[in-house]
Amino acid sequence: MEAAPDPNRALGTEAVFAAFPENAAVVALKSIATDAKFERNEFTVTVARENIVAAAKAVQAAGYNFFEDCTAVDWYPSEPRFQVSYHIVSHSLKQRIRLAVRLNGDSPSLDSITDVWPSSNFYEREVFDLFGIHFNGHPNLKRIMMPDDWQGHPLRKDYPVEGYR
Amino acid sequence: MAPLAAPDMIDPGVEDVVADAKRHQGRPGPASQNMVINMGPQHPSTHGVLRLVLEIDGESVVSLAPDIGYLHTGIEKTCEAKFYQQVVPLTDRIDYLCPMTNNLAYCLAVEKLLALEIPERAQYLRVMLNELTRIQSHLVWLGTHAMDIGALTVFLYCWREREDIMRIYENISGQRMMTSYFRIGGLSLEPPLNFYDQVRDFLKIMPDRIDQYENLLTGNPIWTGRLQGVGYLSPEDAIALGVTGPPLRASGVDWDLRRDMPYSGYEKFKFDVPVSKVGDVWARYVVRIQEMRESLKIIQQALDGMPTGRIVADAPKIILPDREQMKTQMESLIHHFKIVTEGFAVPAGEVYQAVESPRGEMGYYVVSDGTAKPYRVHMRNPSYATLQALETMCKGRLLADVVAVIGSIDIVLGEIDR
């Protein structure tokens, strides 16, 4: 298998922060973002995994009121292996922002943002079920798609399509 | 018929219902202990394979936990093993009531990665077919919802008009349900000559038919009694729980992606977004009925303003060449062979494209690593989030109200499972 390309190749972090001075979320995230990019009219901010709750609160305070989606990408075998992507939209600003967190492959975990947006509950369970990423502080972190006794996490790239058994 | 005025209904409140339920419960003792019952996975009102674990006190719902995953399709894993163009038929199967909407969302996402320019005529046809799909999906919702409540006639009426749309589907794509009509970069076939006449005929009969449904239901005391004040969802809860589409607008949040974040040329069309502040099952009924009328307006505008020109983008390495050209020109044959056997490479990157499906926000998150196969395709489906709000809507209500609420959120289990 070929090594997957680095999804953060088009950095331009400084350029992004300079280009959107009026964007409230950009201003709020400037201090904690490790990386930012603007590609195909979509704005992506990467934060360290310790800062995801702080970032979520900052984005919410900036007017991004609606949590749309949370999912993960497995960049196996490169490290950091996982990328957790959150999509959040602002109804008043009519803008969307993507928060991203990169996680290492061994026992990946990050904090749950269900306190900020309760709707992330099912999405985090889905990511936990299909990728095996643990969300600390999630109120009900159980498998949601697969049976409780299922082995492995099917959407990982090293999970065989036919399953383990 | 005069437009529907949303009545100012007040929710009776959880306490009243529980108190009422307890009054009817009879003797204390073991009978007053809560009982856990399973509704589904194959209950007729769950509209698919959904199991609800209900804790009930007498007849009132104390807690409700949805259990999903019975339909596990592995669709996201399958997408990773296909070429980009081979994913289109898979997206049909995600939500079997709106194949065209899923096609559109996926195609728009990949077109965004490719930076493809789509001809205006293809955009108009896409919009027209999407609105037909919205009406078709709403007809199934209305029919099955009414059937859940006990009104079988409406179900048969709705099926009659749905059949007209199915004929349009069959005419344009050759398929009644899994149409796969959209292509990355345009549409798969030139619409047949009688397609526009068919749509015109449909537009003539449909307003009258919607009046017929309303005549049967809107003033019906059983219908209003079962719907009004049931399954209340406040705007704050709707946003906090991620509800989108008609349930969100029925709770008073004025948000429609077609108008607010337009895609595929929706900004060229004039239509109203129905919003109700009532937030109950009745409001969701009113909003969807009005949405059908708005969709008819959009189809009429698309029909009147249909531009001329091609239905596919000018991208020979992505679009399959015409059959005739392929037989006579070597270049076209090579392109055809390469696309079919090797696919086409898509520049690396990630996009999220959302469209307004009949059920709410349908989003596709596509990640490319620069090869001909998508590295990751994630579908953000509206029913999944709306299901989270089910407990909020049903808590404290009667068991029979759960049936009405499930019908009102217009659930399709195909799009919930992965």
Side-chain angles (χ1 to χ4, degrees), chain B residues 370-409:
Chain B
T371 61
K373 290 175 180 174
Y375 192 76
R376 170 109 173 87
V377 179
H378 173 72
M379 294 120 181
R380 185 260 187 239
N381 296 117
S383 300
Y384 191 64
T386 316
L387 196 63
Q388 289 192 76
L390 192 63
E391 186 175 16
T392 313
M393 289 191 256
C394 293
K395 228 174 188 171
R397 307 294 315 189
L398 298 181
L399 184 55
D401 291 338
V402 176
V403 175
V405 173
I406 293 177
S408 79
I409 62 175

mmCIF file of all heavy atoms in Angstrom, chain B residues 370-409:
data_model
loop_
_atom_site.group_PDB
_atom_site.id
_atom_site.type_symbol
_atom_site.label_atom_id
_atom_site.label_comp_id
_atom_site.label_asym_id
_atom_site.label_seq_id
_atom_site.Cartn_x
_atom_site.Cartn_y
_atom_site.Cartn_z
ATOM 1 N N GLY B 370 -5.842 11.655 -4.363
ATOM 2 C CA GLY B 370 -5.258 11.883 -5.679
ATOM 3 C C GLY B 370 -5.364 10.710 -6.626
ATOM 4 O O GLY B 370 -4.890 10.783 -7.753
ATOM 5 N N THR B 371 -5.985 9.606 -6.200
ATOM 6 C CA THR B 371 -6.129 8.454 -7.082
ATOM 7 C C THR B 371 -7.540 8.426 -7.680
ATOM 8 O O THR B 371 -8.313 9.361 -7.516
ATOM 9 C CB THR B 371 -5.884 7.144 -6.308
ATOM 10 O OG1 THR B 371 -6.858 7.042 -5.276
ATOM 11 C CG2 THR B 371 -4.500 7.112 -5.691
ATOM 12 N N ALA B 372 -7.869 7.341 -8.360
ATOM 13 C CA ALA B 372 -9.163 7.242 -9.032
ATOM 14 C C ALA B 372 -10.245 6.694 -8.119
ATOM 15 O O ALA B 372 -11.396 6.571 -8.538
ATOM 16 C CB ALA B 372 -9.037 6.358 -10.269
ATOM 17 N N LYS B 373 -9.873 6.335 -6.895
ATOM 18 C CA LYS B 373 -10.867 5.829 -5.957
ATOM 19 C C LYS B 373 -10.964 6.784 -4.771
ATOM 20 O O LYS B 373 -9.923 7.264 -4.298
ATOM 21 C CB LYS B 373 -10.488 4.434 -5.451
ATOM 22 C CG LYS B 373 -10.613 3.389 -6.533
ATOM 23 C CD LYS B 373 -10.136 2.045 -6.071
ATOM 24 C CE LYS B 373 -10.291 1.038 -7.187
ATOM 25 N NZ LYS B 373 -9.728 -0.256 -6.876
ATOM 26 N N PRO B 374 -12.174 7.036 -4.274
ATOM 27 C CA PRO B 374 -12.275 7.933 -3.112
ATOM 28 C C PRO B 374 -11.592 7.307 -1.907
ATOM 29 O O PRO B 374 -11.741 6.109 -1.647
ATOM 30 C CB PRO B 374 -13.781 8.080 -2.899
ATOM 31 C CG PRO B 374 -14.436 7.009 -3.676
ATOM 32 C CD PRO B 374 -13.493 6.569 -4.739
ATOM 33 N N TYR B 375 -10.800 8.153 -1.179
ATOM 34 C CA TYR B 375 -10.135 7.620 -0.004
ATOM 35 C C TYR B 375 -11.130 7.405 1.108
ATOM 36 O O TYR B 375 -11.034 6.451 1.877
ATOM 37 C CB TYR B 375 -9.026 8.585 0.438
ATOM 38 C CG TYR B 375 -8.091 7.988 1.458
ATOM 39 C CD1 TYR B 375 -7.123 7.072 1.067
ATOM 40 C CD2 TYR B 375 -8.188 8.316 2.798
ATOM 41 C CE1 TYR B 375 -6.287 6.498 1.988
ATOM 42 C CE2 TYR B 375 -7.357 7.750 3.729
ATOM 43 C CZ TYR B 375 -6.401 6.832 3.317
ATOM 44 O OH TYR B 375 -5.578 6.264 4.239
ATOM 45 N N ARG B 376 -12.114 8.299 1.192
ATOM 46 C CA ARG B 376 -13.131 8.177 2.232
ATOM 47 C C ARG B 376 -14.374 8.910 1.753
ATOM 48 O O ARG B 376 -14.293 10.029 1.232
ATOM 49 C CB ARG B 376 -12.622 8.803 3.522
ATOM 50 C CG ARG B 376 -13.676 8.951 4.608
ATOM 51 C CD ARG B 376 -13.421 7.996 5.731
ATOM 52 N NE ARG B 376 -14.336 8.241 6.841
ATOM 53 C CZ ARG B 376 -15.557 7.687 6.904
ATOM 54 N NH1 ARG B 376 -15.993 6.885 5.952
ATOM 55 N NH2 ARG B 376 -16.353 7.957 7.925
ATOM 56 N N VAL B 377 -15.528 8.270 1.878
ATOM 57 C CA VAL B 377 -16.809 8.923 1.601
ATOM 58 C C VAL B 377 -17.642 8.788 2.854
ATOM 59 O O VAL B 377 -17.860 7.677 3.339
ATOM 60 C CB VAL B 377 -17.555 8.267 0.412
ATOM 61 C CG1 VAL B 377 -18.885 8.963 0.178
ATOM 62 C CG2 VAL B 377 -16.719 8.315 -0.842
ATOM 63 N N HIS B 378 -18.065 9.915 3.399
ATOM 64 C CA HIS B 378 -18.946 9.869 4.565
ATOM 65 C C HIS B 378 -20.254 10.557 4.216
ATOM 66 O O HIS B 378 -20.254 11.586 3.561
ATOM 67 C CB HIS B 378 -18.300 10.564 5.760
ATOM 68 C CG HIS B 378 -19.214 10.701 6.933
ATOM 69 N ND1 HIS B 378 -19.583 9.629 7.716
ATOM 70 C CD2 HIS B 378 -19.870 11.766 7.441
ATOM 71 C CE1 HIS B 378 -20.408 10.046 8.652
ATOM 72 N NE2 HIS B 378 -20.615 11.338 8.507
ATOM 73 N N MET B 379 -21.350 9.933 4.615
ATOM 74 C CA MET B 379 -22.649 10.536 4.343
ATOM 75 C C MET B 379 -23.233 11.052 5.650
ATOM 76 O O MET B 379 -23.356 10.310 6.614
ATOM 77 C CB MET B 379 -23.606 9.496 3.760
ATOM 78 C CG MET B 379 -23.186 8.998 2.396
ATOM 79 S SD MET B 379 -22.912 7.228 2.451
ATOM 80 C CE MET B 379 -22.405 6.906 0.771
ATOM 81 N N ARG B 380 -23.601 12.309 5.637
ATOM 82 C CA ARG B 380 -24.276 12.909 6.781
ATOM 83 C C ARG B 380 -25.764 12.914 6.449
ATOM 84 O O ARG B 380 -26.211 13.618 5.565
ATOM 85 C CB ARG B 380 -23.775 14.331 6.989
ATOM 86 C CG ARG B 380 -24.309 15.010 8.223
ATOM 87 C CD ARG B 380 -25.452 15.941 7.896
ATOM 88 N NE ARG B 380 -25.834 16.689 9.080
ATOM 89 C CZ ARG B 380 -27.067 16.649 9.603
ATOM 90 N NH1 ARG B 380 -28.003 15.954 9.054
ATOM 91 N NH2 ARG B 380 -27.334 17.336 10.674
ATOM 92 N N ASN B 381 -26.495 12.063 7.127
ATOM 93 C CA ASN B 381 -27.881 11.864 6.732
ATOM 94 C C ASN B 381 -28.831 12.506 7.722
ATOM 95 O O ASN B 381 -28.625 12.421 8.928
ATOM 96 C CB ASN B 381 -28.176 10.381 6.614
ATOM 97 C CG ASN B 381 -27.357 9.750 5.526
ATOM 98 O OD1 ASN B 381 -26.552 8.895 5.761
ATOM 99 N ND2 ASN B 381 -27.538 10.242 4.327
ATOM 100 N N PRO B 382 -29.888 13.122 7.218
ATOM 101 C CA PRO B 382 -30.775 13.890 8.102
ATOM 102 C C PRO B 382 -31.533 13.032 9.121
ATOM 103 O O PRO B 382 -31.686 13.449 10.269
ATOM 104 C CB PRO B 382 -31.737 14.579 7.131
ATOM 105 C CG PRO B 382 -31.615 13.861 5.838
ATOM 106 C CD PRO B 382 -30.247 13.301 5.802
ATOM 107 N N SER B 383 -31.987 11.834 8.732
ATOM 108 C CA SER B 383 -32.788 11.050 9.675
ATOM 109 C C SER B 383 -31.992 10.660 10.911
ATOM 110 O O SER B 383 -32.556 10.482 11.987
ATOM 111 C CB SER B 383 -33.280 9.764 9.014
ATOM 112 O OG SER B 383 -34.063 10.029 7.913
ATOM 113 N N TYR B 384 -30.678 10.518 10.739
ATOM 114 C CA TYR B 384 -29.816 10.068 11.835
ATOM 115 C C TYR B 384 -29.878 11.046 12.998
ATOM 116 O O TYR B 384 -30.043 10.642 14.160
ATOM 117 C CB TYR B 384 -28.397 9.954 11.288
ATOM 118 C CG TYR B 384 -27.407 9.263 12.165
ATOM 119 C CD1 TYR B 384 -27.569 7.929 12.484
ATOM 120 C CD2 TYR B 384 -26.291 9.925 12.628
ATOM 121 C CE1 TYR B 384 -26.642 7.286 13.272
ATOM 122 C CE2 TYR B 384 -25.356 9.289 13.404
ATOM 123 C CZ TYR B 384 -25.531 7.965 13.731
ATOM 124 O OH TYR B 384 -24.607 7.331 14.500
ATOM 125 N N ALA B 385 -29.756 12.337 12.676
ATOM 126 C CA ALA B 385 -29.812 13.339 13.738
ATOM 127 C C ALA B 385 -31.235 13.488 14.259
ATOM 128 O O ALA B 385 -31.442 13.660 15.464
ATOM 129 C CB ALA B 385 -29.292 14.678 13.214
ATOM 130 N N THR B 386 -32.208 13.431 13.356
ATOM 131 C CA THR B 386 -33.587 13.617 13.800
ATOM 132 C C THR B 386 -33.982 12.508 14.763
ATOM 133 O O THR B 386 -34.778 12.715 15.677
ATOM 134 C CB THR B 386 -34.531 13.648 12.597
ATOM 135 O OG1 THR B 386 -33.956 14.450 11.573
ATOM 136 C CG2 THR B 386 -35.873 14.231 12.963
ATOM 137 N N LEU B 387 -33.400 11.328 14.580
ATOM 138 C CA LEU B 387 -33.700 10.213 15.470
ATOM 139 C C LEU B 387 -33.248 10.513 16.902
ATOM 140 O O LEU B 387 -33.855 10.042 17.857
ATOM 141 C CB LEU B 387 -32.997 8.965 14.933
ATOM 142 C CG LEU B 387 -33.458 7.617 15.465
ATOM 143 C CD1 LEU B 387 -34.897 7.361 15.086
ATOM 144 C CD2 LEU B 387 -32.586 6.513 14.913
ATOM 145 N N GLN B 388 -32.180 11.306 17.031
ATOM 146 C CA GLN B 388 -31.717 11.682 18.376
ATOM 147 C C GLN B 388 -32.761 12.498 19.107
ATOM 148 O O GLN B 388 -32.816 12.494 20.337
ATOM 149 C CB GLN B 388 -30.460 12.544 18.274
ATOM 150 C CG GLN B 388 -29.244 11.812 17.836
ATOM 151 C CD GLN B 388 -28.010 12.662 18.046
ATOM 152 O OE1 GLN B 388 -27.544 12.817 19.163
ATOM 153 N NE2 GLN B 388 -27.469 13.200 16.986
ATOM 154 N N ALA B 389 -33.564 13.243 18.332
ATOM 155 C CA ALA B 389 -34.557 14.127 18.944
ATOM 156 C C ALA B 389 -35.840 13.385 19.272
ATOM 157 O O ALA B 389 -36.740 13.960 19.872
ATOM 158 C CB ALA B 389 -34.858 15.286 18.000
ATOM 159 N N LEU B 390 -35.910 12.108 18.903
ATOM 160 C CA LEU B 390 -37.161 11.367 19.088
ATOM 161 C C LEU B 390 -37.559 11.286 20.560
ATOM 162 O O LEU B 390 -38.731 11.435 20.901
ATOM 163 C CB LEU B 390 -37.012 9.965 18.485
ATOM 164 C CG LEU B 390 -38.277 9.145 18.318
ATOM 165 C CD1 LEU B 390 -39.224 9.823 17.356
ATOM 166 C CD2 LEU B 390 -37.950 7.753 17.797
ATOM 167 N N GLU B 391 -36.552 11.072 21.420
ATOM 168 C CA GLU B 391 -36.891 10.942 22.846
ATOM 169 C C GLU B 391 -37.460 12.247 23.391
ATOM 170 O O GLU B 391 -38.448 12.246 24.127
ATOM 171 C CB GLU B 391 -35.654 10.528 23.650
ATOM 172 C CG GLU B 391 -36.019 10.246 25.097
ATOM 173 C CD GLU B 391 -34.865 9.711 25.927
ATOM 174 O OE1 GLU B 391 -33.717 9.835 25.493
ATOM 175 O OE2 GLU B 391 -35.126 9.173 27.010
ATOM 176 N N THR B 392 -36.830 13.364 23.011
ATOM 177 C CA THR B 392 -37.325 14.667 23.454
ATOM 178 C C THR B 392 -38.774 14.873 23.021
ATOM 179 O O THR B 392 -39.581 15.444 23.761
ATOM 180 C CB THR B 392 -36.446 15.779 22.852
ATOM 181 O OG1 THR B 392 -35.090 15.425 23.048
ATOM 182 C CG2 THR B 392 -36.726 17.115 23.499
ATOM 183 N N MET B 393 -39.089 14.421 21.804
ATOM 184 C CA MET B 393 -40.438 14.645 21.286
ATOM 185 C C MET B 393 -41.461 13.721 21.936
ATOM 186 O O MET B 393 -42.629 14.066 22.051
ATOM 187 C CB MET B 393 -40.449 14.428 19.767
ATOM 188 C CG MET B 393 -39.735 15.506 18.992
ATOM 189 S SD MET B 393 -40.047 15.350 17.244
ATOM 190 C CE MET B 393 -38.547 14.656 16.660
ATOM 191 N N CYS B 394 -41.028 12.522 22.338
ATOM 192 C CA CYS B 394 -41.991 11.515 22.796
ATOM 193 C C CYS B 394 -42.124 11.441 24.312
ATOM 194 O O CYS B 394 -43.098 10.887 24.805
ATOM 195 C CB CYS B 394 -41.587 10.135 22.288
ATOM 196 S SG CYS B 394 -41.717 9.976 20.519
ATOM 197 N N LYS B 395 -41.140 11.955 25.046
ATOM 198 C CA LYS B 395 -41.130 11.791 26.492
ATOM 199 C C LYS B 395 -42.395 12.362 27.113
ATOM 200 O O LYS B 395 -42.783 13.500 26.825
ATOM 201 C CB LYS B 395 -39.910 12.499 27.079
ATOM 202 C CG LYS B 395 -39.148 11.646 28.055
ATOM 203 C CD LYS B 395 -37.888 12.355 28.484
ATOM 204 C CE LYS B 395 -37.045 11.409 29.303
ATOM 205 N NZ LYS B 395 -35.727 11.959 29.560
ATOM 206 N N GLY B 396 -43.040 11.567 27.944
ATOM 207 C CA GLY B 396 -44.231 12.041 28.620
ATOM 208 C C GLY B 396 -45.499 11.911 27.805
ATOM 209 O O GLY B 396 -46.586 12.136 28.324
ATOM 210 N N ARG B 397 -45.372 11.581 26.551
ATOM 211 C CA ARG B 397 -46.557 11.399 25.716
ATOM 212 C C ARG B 397 -47.029 9.950 25.812
ATOM 213 O O ARG B 397 -46.357 9.100 26.393
ATOM 214 C CB ARG B 397 -46.257 11.741 24.260
ATOM 215 C CG ARG B 397 -45.637 13.086 24.026
ATOM 216 C CD ARG B 397 -46.541 14.238 24.363
ATOM 217 N NE ARG B 397 -47.891 14.084 23.866
ATOM 218 C CZ ARG B 397 -48.817 15.035 23.888
ATOM 219 N NH1 ARG B 397 -48.512 16.222 24.380
ATOM 220 N NH2 ARG B 397 -50.027 14.819 23.438
ATOM 221 N N LEU B 398 -48.146 9.685 25.172
ATOM 222 C CA LEU B 398 -48.679 8.329 25.187
ATOM 223 C C LEU B 398 -47.974 7.464 24.145
ATOM 224 O O LEU B 398 -47.383 7.962 23.192
ATOM 225 C CB LEU B 398 -50.176 8.352 24.906
ATOM 226 C CG LEU B 398 -51.022 9.109 25.933
ATOM 227 C CD1 LEU B 398 -52.475 9.042 25.548
ATOM 228 C CD2 LEU B 398 -50.822 8.527 27.320
ATOM 229 N N LEU B 399 -48.078 6.176 24.351
ATOM 230 C CA LEU B 399 -47.445 5.223 23.434
ATOM 231 C C LEU B 399 -47.953 5.419 22.008
ATOM 232 O O LEU B 399 -47.182 5.358 21.045
ATOM 233 C CB LEU B 399 -47.747 3.804 23.919
ATOM 234 C CG LEU B 399 -47.110 2.643 23.174
ATOM 235 C CD1 LEU B 399 -45.609 2.804 23.127
ATOM 236 C CD2 LEU B 399 -47.465 1.338 23.859
ATOM 237 N N ALA B 400 -49.257 5.670 21.860
ATOM 238 C CA ALA B 400 -49.811 5.842 20.518
ATOM 239 C C ALA B 400 -49.257 7.086 19.838
ATOM 240 O O ALA B 400 -49.198 7.155 18.614
ATOM 241 C CB ALA B 400 -51.334 5.927 20.596
ATOM 242 N N ASP B 401 -48.819 8.082 20.637
ATOM 243 C CA ASP B 401 -48.244 9.291 20.043
ATOM 244 C C ASP B 401 -46.884 9.014 19.418
ATOM 245 O O ASP B 401 -46.471 9.717 18.498
ATOM 246 C CB ASP B 401 -48.106 10.385 21.112
ATOM 247 C CG ASP B 401 -49.449 10.918 21.560
ATOM 248 O OD1 ASP B 401 -50.413 10.761 20.792
ATOM 249 O OD2 ASP B 401 -49.534 11.474 22.665
ATOM 250 N N VAL B 402 -46.172 7.996 19.947
ATOM 251 C CA VAL B 402 -44.864 7.653 19.376
ATOM 252 C C VAL B 402 -45.033 7.329 17.896
ATOM 253 O O VAL B 402 -44.225 7.736 17.047
ATOM 254 C CB VAL B 402 -44.239 6.459 20.138
ATOM 255 C CG1 VAL B 402 -42.940 6.042 19.487
ATOM 256 C CG2 VAL B 402 -44.019 6.816 21.585
ATOM 257 N N VAL B 403 -46.120 6.630 17.578
ATOM 258 C CA VAL B 403 -46.385 6.270 16.185
ATOM 259 C C VAL B 403 -46.568 7.529 15.341
ATOM 260 O O VAL B 403 -46.005 7.660 14.244
ATOM 261 C CB VAL B 403 -47.639 5.373 16.110
ATOM 262 C CG1 VAL B 403 -48.003 5.093 14.675
ATOM 263 C CG2 VAL B 403 -47.406 4.081 16.856
ATOM 264 N N ALA B 404 -47.331 8.493 15.872
ATOM 265 C CA ALA B 404 -47.553 9.735 15.128
ATOM 266 C C ALA B 404 -46.252 10.509 14.959
ATOM 267 O O ALA B 404 -45.998 11.086 13.893
ATOM 268 C CB ALA B 404 -48.585 10.596 15.850
ATOM 269 N N VAL B 405 -45.402 10.502 15.998
ATOM 270 C CA VAL B 405 -44.156 11.280 15.922
ATOM 271 C C VAL B 405 -43.199 10.637 14.926
ATOM 272 O O VAL B 405 -42.570 11.325 14.114
ATOM 273 C CB VAL B 405 -43.513 11.408 17.319
ATOM 274 C CG1 VAL B 405 -42.148 12.051 17.207
ATOM 275 C CG2 VAL B 405 -44.392 12.224 18.232
ATOM 276 N N ILE B 406 -43.083 9.316 14.949
ATOM 277 C CA ILE B 406 -42.182 8.663 13.986
ATOM 278 C C ILE B 406 -42.625 8.984 12.569
ATOM 279 O O ILE B 406 -41.814 9.285 11.697
ATOM 280 C CB ILE B 406 -42.157 7.139 14.202
ATOM 281 C CG1 ILE B 406 -41.514 6.808 15.537
ATOM 282 C CG2 ILE B 406 -41.362 6.460 13.100
ATOM 283 C CD1 ILE B 406 -41.524 5.342 15.834
ATOM 284 N N GLY B 407 -43.938 8.949 12.343
ATOM 285 C CA GLY B 407 -44.428 9.298 11.016
ATOM 286 C C GLY B 407 -44.072 10.723 10.647
ATOM 287 O O GLY B 407 -43.709 11.004 9.504
ATOM 288 N N SER B 408 -44.111 11.626 11.626
ATOM 289 C CA SER B 408 -43.907 13.038 11.305
ATOM 290 C C SER B 408 -42.461 13.382 11.022
ATOM 291 O O SER B 408 -42.190 14.379 10.368
ATOM 292 C CB SER B 408 -44.408 13.907 12.455
ATOM 293 O OG SER B 408 -43.461 13.925 13.493
ATOM 294 N N ILE B 409 -41.493 12.586 11.527
ATOM 295 C CA ILE B 409 -40.108 12.929 11.201
ATOM 296 C C ILE B 409 -39.668 12.271 9.912
ATOM 297 O O ILE B 409 -38.563 12.482 9.459
ATOM 298 C CB ILE B 409 -39.124 12.595 12.349
ATOM 299 C CG1 ILE B 409 -39.105 11.111 12.655
ATOM 300 C CG2 ILE B 409 -39.456 13.391 13.588
ATOM 301 C CD1 ILE B 409 -38.071 10.736 13.689
#
